[in-house]
């Protein structure tokens, strides 16, 4: 495929690789990118956001996408990296990404949980949480997607530090969550659209996950994810279920998309990428490109609609 631009032989990237790639991209494309250090992890790994923009004057709209909140969901950072590469390669070549970059800035955090991600490469491939340690407990890590200040630590989270869904000592106790909330609070006026990328299960979710109650713009969000799911099904013959988090999978408080929504960013989504359980978190590298293409179809469909509003 001539349009693949060498993007059809993906592999997973180590944390060091990702830092290198993001840094190199920012140096090679200063006209389209800006590297922003938003904070650091518990183990003092940097949290870099890459800002992507078209070659044009300033605009007032922005989109945020974070990947790798959960360490073992390797396809998630792979998608953020794929997205950056796709944007840089095909800006002014392919209309969809050109329109997105001409009309809004795109902030990408490729690995929100670098300590956990590193740990899945060295020690335990199935680790989910971050790697924060706390005196008085021998268990390590907080579930960053239970640590946001959104009905924090109610049904669907655990106050047991040994649990995989441990909510932490208090809302925003974790430096990774603090870095993201600080950035988003100070960019609330421009950021209209939020995506958080997870795996697996093939789901397109929107708030709320912390309650079964419907958000005010439920119908609008439902129609957006429905259209995204139809597009993926038509072009990639793959099924993505969709709906609010609580109704579609389970009650889960303290999640990023719910917190973002309650900050007033009402186009807030969590995507669960491939697969539906055959390989689960261990999605083989030869499936990365397909998973990323269809995830991009979903992001693009929603982003284009939100730009029309
Ligand atoms: N799923 C998410 C989790 O953190 C989720 C589901 C989405 C929860 C949005 C809260 C908010 O459990 C995975 N696979 O991590
Ligand atoms: Zn996850």
């Amino acid at each position: 495929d001539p349009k693949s631009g060498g993007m059809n032989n993906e592999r997973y990237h180590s944390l060091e690789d990702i830092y290198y790639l993001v840094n190199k991209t920012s140096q090679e494309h200063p006209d389209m990118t800006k590297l922003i250090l938003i904070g650091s992890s518990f183990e003092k790994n940097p949290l870099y956001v890459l800002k992507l923009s078209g070659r044009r004057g300033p605009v007032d709209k922005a989109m945020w996408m974070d990947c790798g909140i959960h360490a073992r969901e390797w396809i998630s950072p792979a998608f953020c990296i794929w997205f950056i590469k796709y944007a840089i390669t095909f800006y002014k070549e392919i209309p969809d990404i050109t329109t997105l970059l001409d009309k809004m800035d795109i902030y990408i955090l490729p690995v929100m949980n670098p300590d956990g991600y590193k740990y899945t490469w060295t020690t335990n491939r199935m680790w989910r949480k971050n790697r924060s340690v706390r005196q008085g407990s021998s268990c390590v890590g907080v579930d960053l997607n239970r640590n946001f200040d959104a009905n924090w630590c109610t049904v669907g989270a655990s106050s047991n530090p040994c649990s995989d869904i441990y909510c932490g000592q208090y809302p925003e106790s974790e430096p990774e969550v603090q870095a993201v909330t600080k950035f988003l609070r100070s960019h609330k006026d421009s950021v209209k659209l939020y995506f958080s990328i997870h795996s697996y299960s093939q789901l397109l979710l929107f708030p709320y996950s912390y309650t079964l109650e419907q958000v005010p713009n439920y119908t609008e969000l439902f129609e957006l994810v429905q259209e995204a799911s139809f597009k993926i099904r038509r072009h990639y013959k793959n099924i993505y279920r969709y709906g609010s988090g609580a109704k579609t999978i389970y009650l889960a408080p303290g999640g990023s998309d719910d917190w973002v929504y309650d900050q007033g960013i009402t186009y807030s989504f969590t995507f669960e990428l491939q697969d539906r359980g055959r390989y689960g978190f261990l999605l083989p590298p030869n499936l990365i490109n397909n998973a990323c293409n269809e995830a991009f179809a979903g992001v693009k469909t929603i982003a284009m609609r939100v730009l029309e509003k």
Side-chain angles (χ1 to χ4, degrees), residues 70 73 128 198-199 272:
H70 290 138
E73 301 166 7
R128 168 178 166 97
H198 290 248
S199 75
E272 302 263 9

Side-chain angles (χ1 to χ4, degrees), residues 76 206 257:
S76 169
F206 57 82
D257 60 350

Side-chain angles (χ1 to χ4, degrees), residues 125-161:
R125 177 66 182 80
M126 294 306 273
W127 192 256
R128 168 178 166 97
K129 300 185 285 182
N130 76 348
R131 295 291 303 163
S132 71
V133 294
R134 163 189 161 189
Q135 49 165 269
S137 173
S138 56
C139 286
V140 175
V142 169
D143 183 346
L144 299 179
N145 212 33
R146 297 292 181 281
N147 192 240
F148 285 77
D149 195 1
N151 238 17
W152 178 78
C153 217
T154 53
V155 177
S158 174
S159 54
N160 175 1

Side-chain angles (χ1 to χ4, degrees), residues 21-304:
L21 282 168
V22 167
N23 192 57
K24 189 173 76 136
T25 303
S26 74
Q27 289 185 7
E28 288 177 355
H29 303 276
D31 51 342
M32 289 183 68
T33 65
K34 191 181 160 194
L35 195 60
I36 308 168
L37 182 67
I38 64 160
S40 57
S41 67
F42 186 88
E43 292 174 349
K44 304 294 175 214
N45 283 305
L47 297 167
Y48 286 116
V49 165
L50 191 72
K51 179 187 184 186
L52 296 170
S53 318
R55 291 185 213 97
R56 38 102 179 127
V59 292
D60 57 0
K61 287 196 186 106
M63 172 186 129
W64 165 282
M65 181 162 75
D66 57 62
C67 293
I69 284 193
H70 290 138
R72 64 194 173 191
E73 301 166 7
W74 283 13
I75 189 61
S76 169
F79 177 56
C80 268
I81 296 300
W82 182 99
F83 188 103
I84 291 166
K85 196 164 151 194
Y86 183 89
I88 298 291
T89 307
F90 295 124
Y91 177 67
K92 297 287 185 199
E93 297 279 340
I94 294 181
D96 55 22
I97 192 66
T98 306
T99 302
L100 292 185
L101 291 175
D102 281 342
K103 297 201 170 159
M104 61 184 180
D105 296 325
I106 303 182
Y107 296 106
I108 299 188
L109 173 56
V111 191
M112 182 171 161
N113 176 10
D115 306 351
Y117 188 69
K118 195 167 194 173
Y119 193 68
T120 62
W121 277 73
T122 58
T123 312
N124 178 356
R125 177 66 182 80
M126 294 306 273
W127 192 256
R128 168 178 166 97
K129 300 185 285 182
N130 76 348
R131 295 291 303 163
S132 71
V133 294
R134 163 189 161 189
Q135 49 165 269
S137 173
S138 56
C139 286
V140 175
V142 169
D143 183 346
L144 299 179
N145 212 33
R146 297 292 181 281
N147 192 240
F148 285 77
D149 195 1
N151 238 17
W152 178 78
C153 217
T154 53
V155 177
S158 174
S159 54
N160 175 1
C162 303
S163 167
D164 243 0
I165 51 169
Y166 175 46
C167 57
Q169 273 193 291
Y170 50 88
E172 296 185 24
S173 59
E174 302 311 293
E176 299 85 353
V177 172
Q178 287 167 15
V180 170
T181 57
K182 184 182 171 199
F183 183 90
L184 289 173
R185 276 192 187 98
S186 66
H187 291 75
K188 246 192 255 184
D189 294 338
S190 61
V191 176
K192 307 286 178 214
L193 179 56
Y194 172 88
F195 290 100
S196 190
I197 307 297
H198 290 248
S199 75
Y200 60 94
S201 294
Q202 297 179 199
L203 299 165
L204 310 180
L205 304 173
F206 57 82
Y208 286 122
S209 291
Y210 70 62
T211 175
L212 286 158
E213 270 174 53
Q214 291 190 359
V215 291
N217 63 338
Y218 179 90
T219 307
E220 187 184 24
L221 297 183
F222 188 87
E223 286 171 2
L224 287 171
V225 288
Q226 178 166 259
E227 187 185 353
S229 173
F230 286 174
K231 284 262 165 64
I232 294 171
R233 189 181 309 194
R234 159 144 7 117
H235 292 287
Y236 298 95
K237 314 272 173 265
N238 220 354
I239 307 285
Y240 279 66
R241 294 194 297 128
Y242 50 88
S244 74
K247 288 191 216 186
T248 309
I249 40 171
Y250 41 65
L251 275 170
S256 65
D257 60 350
D258 283 1
W259 179 82
V260 163
Y261 186 92
D262 284 343
Q263 290 297 300
I265 301 169
T266 58
Y267 299 105
S268 176
F269 303 90
T270 294
F271 279 13
E272 302 263 9
L273 308 193
Q274 284 187 26
D275 59 11
R276 283 201 291 178
R278 178 170 183 196
Y279 299 107
F281 302 116
L282 309 179
L283 192 73
N286 66 303
L287 299 181
I288 294 173
N289 198 49
N290 182 254
C292 291
N293 269 294
E294 66 188 26
F296 180 69
V299 167
K300 174 179 76 179
T301 301
I302 292 171
M304 290 293 192

